Amino acid sequence: MARVLSGIKPTGTLTLGNYIGALKRFPAFQTLHNSFIFIADLHALTLPIDPEVLKKNAFDLAAFYLAAGLDPEKTTLFLQSQVSAHAELNTILTNYAYMGEMARMTQFKEKSEAKKEQAIGLGLFTYPVLMAADILLYDAEIVPVGEDQRQHVELTRDLAQRFNHRYGDVLVMPKAELSKVGARVMSLSDPTKKMSKSDPKGNIELSEDLASVRKKIMSAVTDSDTIVRYDVAQKPGISNLMTIYASLKEISLENVEKTFAGQTYGMFKKAVADVVCEELQQLQERYQSIVASGLVHHVLKQGAQRAQSIANATLQRVKAAVGLWL
Ligand code: AMP
Ligand code: TRP
């Protein structure tokens, strides 16, 4: 059974972009693969965050993982900071990563530019090395992520190859797995930008009130044309809504075009709002019952134990390879 690994940062309320690009896809792996899904709380420290907010976000993310259908008997669900091997492998791997390649990472460039003249933490710069450690510790071959993380997985591959070239076959080569539709969900207020947790005007939050969700979709920025057609360059807003609809309905973009042939943008938007609200309503109900069950802490504790035993074995292999005493 191939190992699957992915994680999400508890930096804010999850968005529909997180859901379509990542979260919604995770449960499908747990039946056929050995799957590891975690809360990237160490990664959340790379930008300033209030301690109480971080704790609450981590809890909510765990509850949303379960609400989305992850079964803790089949998927090892854990908090990154509770498995110390992540930090240890990170320390070792930083020696094999180059400053130049870190500086070329798109996410680093965007996030450091956004900070303008403010100081930039070293953790933000070395973030992809920690992400590589996350992946390599579990010998993960499959890494389901959204488009924005493809570059980090590529870098992980480069690092693994560099390491193996020097020490032999120690690390397993991972591969990013992107969904065909929905790997990059765009902002509803500016469809040329990625939907993100930090943009409440253009995003939809998984815990958002459904009336507000509907309003945002009905007023999503589109174009002055009238045909529901997929064309990212000319019609980014409509194309984005089509992507959202196709992903949630699990149908092709061509099928969406056919379904809405001859219909107005208003009718199409209403249909999109209906599917999104239906999906979120179910998710929110399951989230509420999971929180009420009081099971989250127990699941994470058990997950950390299972994750530790796998991660520590890889760490031992790496330590032995580089010449550290076990
Ligand atoms: P993050 O919130 O940055 O930790 O992202 C968690 C996961 O969600 C990663 O796999 C991202 O690639 C994915 N993701 C985040 N935003 C989007 C988006 N707008 N569209 C598709 N996937 C996304
Ligand atoms: N960097 C990812 C993000 O911002 C989160 C993440 C951390 C991750 N470690 C990972 C994703 C390992 C996949 C595998 O979205």
Side-chain angles (χ1 to χ4, degrees), residues 46 53 141 204 270:
T46 53
V53 172
E141 289 169 69
I204 287 178
K270 181 175 176 306

Side-chain angles (χ1 to χ4, degrees), residues 189-210:
S189 56
D190 177 357
T192 61
K193 287 207 295 230
K194 187 185 79 167
M195 180 182 284
S196 78
K197 290 179 191 142
S198 55
D199 170 27
K201 273 216 315 274
N203 75 17
I204 287 178
E205 295 181 351
L206 296 187
S207 50
E208 195 163 333
D209 168 68
L210 298 181

Side-chain angles (χ1 to χ4, degrees), residues 48 112 114-120:
S112 55
K115 287 185 73 83
K116 302 211 167 68
E117 70 283 358
Q118 286 167 269
I120 294 158

Side-chain angles (χ1 to χ4, degrees), residues 5-9 18 38 40 43 80 107 111 127 130-132 134-135 143-145 148-149 152-153:
L5 174 128
S6 196
I8 299 179
K9 294 192 302 279
N18 291 132
F38 71 102
H43 282 272
Q80 182 187 31
Q107 189 168 313
K111 295 203 169 167
Y127 177 116
L130 179 58
M131 178 158 163
D134 299 337
I135 297 170
V143 185
V145 282
D148 60 344
Q149 297 303 314
H152 293 153
V153 181

Side-chain angles (χ1 to χ4, degrees), residues 300-312:
L300 292 177
K301 197 171 161 206
Q302 195 186 42
Q305 278 167 1
R306 285 213 301 259
Q308 275 158 13
S309 72
I310 308 281
N312 288 339

Side-chain angles (χ1 to χ4, degrees), residues 26-297:
F26 295 164
F29 292 98
Q30 70 191 357
T31 40
L32 289 176
H33 302 280
N34 201 347
S35 115
F36 295 83
I37 301 291
F38 71 102
I39 295 156
D41 55 352
L42 291 173
H43 282 272
L45 295 173
T46 53
L47 289 174
I49 185 162
D50 178 86
E52 290 308 316
V53 172
L54 173 55
K55 271 194 197 161
K56 164 91 170 62
N57 287 347
F59 177 88
D60 279 350
L61 177 52
F64 270 114
Y65 277 149
L66 295 168
L70 287 179
D71 173 352
E73 294 306 317
K74 297 183 180 144
T75 293
T76 301
L77 206 68
F78 65 99
L79 272 165
Q80 182 187 31
S81 62
Q82 292 187 341
V83 183
S84 58
H86 290 248
E88 291 185 60
L89 184 59
N90 174 62
T91 299
I92 296 175
L93 287 181
T94 47
N95 301 297
Y96 305 88
Y98 304 141
M99 308 268 284
E101 60 192 356
M102 295 296 121
R104 281 195 296 276
M105 292 291 117
T106 310
Q107 189 168 313
F108 171 71
K109 285 197 274 189
E110 282 171 7
K111 295 203 169 167
S112 55
E113 269 161 29
K115 287 185 73 83
K116 302 211 167 68
E117 70 283 358
Q118 286 167 269
I120 294 158
L122 206 50
L124 187 68
F125 188 63
T126 59
Y127 177 116
V129 181
L130 179 58
M131 178 158 163
D134 299 337
I135 297 170
L136 297 170
L137 274 177
Y138 299 88
D139 294 337
E141 289 169 69
I142 304 168
V143 185
V145 282
E147 169 64 41
D148 60 344
Q149 297 303 314
R150 185 207 292 267
Q151 197 183 31
H152 293 153
V153 181
E154 283 304 312
L155 183 102
T156 304
R157 290 169 62 85
D158 290 345
L159 268 177
Q161 204 173 24
R162 200 173 294 156
F163 192 93
N164 286 351
H165 184 71
R166 177 141 173 209
Y167 300 105
D169 262 350
V170 179
L171 300 171
V172 172
M173 197 57 75
K175 196 168 187 297
E177 171 120 346
L178 274 71
S179 59
K180 285 192 195 72
V181 178
R184 191 171 169 85
V185 176
M186 310 307 277
S187 157
L188 297 177
S189 56
D190 177 357
T192 61
K193 287 207 295 230
K194 187 185 79 167
M195 180 182 284
S196 78
K197 290 179 191 142
S198 55
D199 170 27
K201 273 216 315 274
N203 75 17
I204 287 178
E205 295 181 351
L206 296 187
S207 50
E208 195 163 333
D209 168 68
L210 298 181
S212 155
V213 170
R214 188 168 286 280
K215 202 164 143 209
K216 279 187 188 167
I217 294 175
M218 293 310 291
S219 54
V221 170
T222 51
D223 51 73
S224 55
D225 191 17
T226 52
I227 302 162
V228 177
R229 182 168 54 82
Y230 192 77
D231 179 343
V232 175
Q234 301 296 323
K235 300 160 75 70
I238 282 294
S239 301
N240 187 39
L241 292 175
M242 288 177 71
T243 300
I244 293 172
Y245 188 87
S247 318
L248 296 183
K249 283 278 197 185
E250 296 182 0
I251 60 173
S252 68
L253 291 165
E254 295 81 57
N255 203 333
V256 182
E257 265 176 31
K258 277 198 206 118
T259 308
F260 294 95
Q263 298 204 26
T264 63
Y265 278 4
M267 288 151 92
F268 173 55
K269 282 179 165 177
K270 181 175 176 306
V272 177
D274 287 345
V275 245
V276 173
C277 287
E278 201 180 309
E279 185 100 4
L280 291 194
Q281 188 177 358
Q282 283 180 17
L283 196 66
Q284 290 174 2
E285 282 169 9
R286 287 200 295 263
Y287 166 86
Q288 294 299 349
S289 68
I290 284 157
V291 172
S293 76
L295 280 175
V296 173
H297 285 101

